[in-house]
Amino acid sequence: MLKSLLNELLKEAKLNLEAGQIDQLIALVELLDKWNKAYNLTSVREPKEMLTRHILDSLVVSEHLLGERFIDVGTGPGLPGLPLAIVNPDKQFVLLDSLGKRIRFIKQVCYELKLNNVSAVQSRVEKYQPEEKFDGVLSRAFASLSDMLQWCSHLPTNHGKFYALKGSIPESEIETLDAELKVRDIIKLQVPRLAEQRHLIIIEPVSD
């Protein structure tokens, strides 16, 4: 049931995945549903709704990611990081959250789905000091743009980018951006069967 619905959604989103990746995404939803009953990881209760609101909502960002190393800050139950890691086995993802139950869930998912391109880290983002910086810093429903950029300023490489997943375009937040940063792109994301707006705001340092 879930697999046929996911295949329909992927077709509508024009996303071509391998059979094994589809199986992993279904397993992720089933684990999220199972853990959610005890740990309240997401307000979305129905697995079918999770496919649209969590899986496809994450996957539509994939084609816009440039680089090999990414961090998902305030990842919650691993969104968008886990779906993106499943469909991008050639990229590395650090999933960061301050709540232990979320990190335990992510580690269990990685164990059961045999994901070897994900590291789960429990930390506040401003206190996390990576050994190696990132090509991209992702956030979904995490904070205002100014807070995200301030708290995460130490995470990207010199040419790294910030990827903020938003609903409607946050015009007022964009207007107050630091002069050293610029909006590289605002992309309207099409999530199948989701009525609300979705946008990806890509921000990068101003070149010297």
Side-chain angles (χ1 to χ4, degrees):
M1 188 77 176
L2 282 179
K3 185 182 281 192
S4 60
L5 176 55
L6 178 56
N7 277 316
E8 288 175 21
L9 292 168
L10 291 170
K11 189 175 180 181
E12 289 173 30
K14 297 181 174 62
L15 293 171
N16 295 312
L17 303 185
E18 296 174 6
Q21 293 172 334
I22 291 172
D23 290 341
Q24 286 180 309
L25 291 169
I26 295 296
L28 169 56
V29 169
E30 290 172 346
L31 283 167
L32 186 54
D33 181 47
K34 177 182 173 183
W35 276 61
N36 205 35
K37 292 177 173 66
Y39 293 98
N40 195 29
L41 296 170
T42 168
S43 60
V44 179
R45 298 293 171 193
E46 291 294 324
K48 287 182 185 175
E49 201 178 344
M50 289 177 185
L51 286 178
T52 299
R53 291 191 164 275
H54 289 334
I55 303 302
L56 267 293
D57 198 40
S58 299
L59 294 184
V60 292
V61 176
S62 181
E63 65 178 300
H64 306 293
L65 300 181
L66 299 174
E68 298 175 357
R69 191 171 148 76
F70 297 87
I71 182 168
D72 177 9
V73 295
T75 187
L79 301 166
L82 284 174
L84 289 172
I86 287 170
V87 302
N88 292 284
D90 56 328
K91 300 182 190 301
Q92 295 294 317
F93 292 85
V94 171
L95 275 52
L96 187 93
D97 202 276
S98 59
L99 277 188
K101 66 179 181 179
R102 295 170 179 165
I103 295 302
R104 285 194 295 277
F105 169 72
I106 292 166
K107 287 182 175 178
Q108 185 64 26
V109 169
C110 291
Y111 173 74
E112 294 199 24
L113 272 55
K114 297 179 171 59
L115 294 179
N116 56 17
N117 61 334
V118 175
S119 300
V121 176
Q122 183 180 352
S123 174
R124 294 183 63 84
V125 64
E126 59 269 35
K127 293 187 176 178
Y128 175 60
Q129 296 295 331
E131 291 180 13
E132 188 181 347
K133 300 202 178 222
F134 299 92
D135 298 314
V137 179
L138 291 149
S139 78
R140 176 181 185 259
F142 171 61
S144 69
L145 284 179
S146 59
D147 284 346
M148 174 200 176
L149 296 165
Q150 181 181 346
W151 297 339
C152 303
S153 61
H154 60 297
L155 296 176
T157 64
N158 290 339
H159 301 289
K161 294 172 177 54
F162 295 93
Y163 298 85
L165 285 69
K166 294 285 188 178
S168 55
I169 299 173
E171 304 281 5
S172 59
E173 295 179 23
I174 290 172
E175 288 171 7
T176 58
L177 280 185
D178 192 297
E180 294 176 4
L181 297 164
K182 67 176 180 181
V183 175
R184 181 176 185 267
D185 213 346
I186 298 176
I187 299 164
K188 186 172 185 180
L189 301 170
Q190 301 292 345
V191 182
R193 307 185 195 183
L194 188 67
E196 299 111 70
Q197 291 187 52
R198 289 290 187 270
H199 290 87
L200 176 64
I201 317 296
I202 304 177
I203 297 169
E204 64 184 5
V206 174
S207 301
D208 294 332

